[in-house]
Amino acid sequence: MVNTTNDPLPLMFDVLPGREVISQGEPYPDAWVVRSGALLMEVVGLEGHRLALDLLGPGDLVGGPASWMADASVRALVTSGLFAAGPIALRDGLARRARRVAWLACSVAWDRIADRLMTRLDDLGARFGRPVPGGWCFELPLTQEHLAGLTGATRESVNRALTELVATGRVE
């Protein structure tokens, strides 16, 4: 969502599925906090390959300081509501984003793919799902390619890990 006029962006607005709000390589248009929904943060490589980095949900920061360039694109997976981030929300959101990136880096270095995937699915369940007996249920349009990016793995490895998790009863 690029503001091509000099009109100020609204303080609160909804984003429809598939709509990009941050474009990789462009200056951040603003900073918002997710009120509702889910947005996918992804990097697009020089050859057009997409790598999902994170899924942003309620309370997460979208964007950043206007003087910074966006290192990833952000688009809505489902209808999502955003509101303007104040200075404290911006500071806390950037710190939370850094912690999540550090978690992924440590997880990629030390954990088996099936364990990384299970941890990420638990995280997504807690943030976007509802509790059900034995775990979480969430309905998001995520592909194995998205899960691969979110766990630092390949789609094929995620497929094998999902097969293992289903066989051991950890995922249904």
Side-chain angles (χ1 to χ4, degrees):
M1 181 175 100
V2 178
N3 188 12
T4 57
T5 68
N6 290 330
D7 297 335
L9 293 169
L11 294 179
M12 191 177 296
F13 59 97
D14 289 332
V15 184
L16 297 176
R19 180 77 188 257
E20 191 171 87
V21 292
I22 303 292
S23 297
Q24 179 181 332
E26 299 288 325
Y28 285 123
D30 210 337
W32 306 281
V33 175
V34 179
R35 182 180 80 244
S36 61
L39 298 100
L40 184 68
M41 178 187 287
E42 60 187 354
V43 173
V44 180
L46 296 176
E47 297 174 0
H49 299 290
R50 294 180 175 276
L51 176 65
L53 297 176
D54 204 357
L55 200 58
L56 306 176
D60 287 330
L61 179 71
V62 176
S67 60
W68 292 13
M69 297 296 273
D71 51 357
S73 295
V74 178
R75 67 182 165 86
L77 273 182
V78 298
T79 300
S80 302
L82 304 177
F83 64 88
I88 293 172
L90 179 62
R91 180 201 66 204
D92 293 350
L94 291 171
R96 191 169 36 257
R97 188 182 297 167
R99 283 191 303 275
R100 292 179 71 79
V101 168
W103 168 84
L104 180 59
C106 292
S107 180
V108 167
W110 298 322
D111 296 338
R112 293 177 49 248
I113 293 171
D115 295 334
R116 281 197 313 254
L117 181 57
M118 193 67 224
T119 299
R120 188 56 120 164
L121 289 172
D122 279 338
D123 170 62
L124 293 174
R127 293 171 54 223
F128 297 98
R130 64 182 193 291
V132 296
W136 301 99
C137 179
F138 59 93
E139 296 177 21
L140 292 171
L142 292 174
T143 65
Q144 287 183 6
E145 197 69 41
H146 291 140
L147 293 174
L150 294 170
T151 56
T154 64
R155 189 202 57 77
E156 294 81 6
S157 297
V158 165
N159 184 290
R160 285 190 296 273
L162 281 169
T163 300
E164 174 187 331
L165 293 171
V166 168
T168 58
R170 294 174 68 192
V171 170
E172 188 176 302

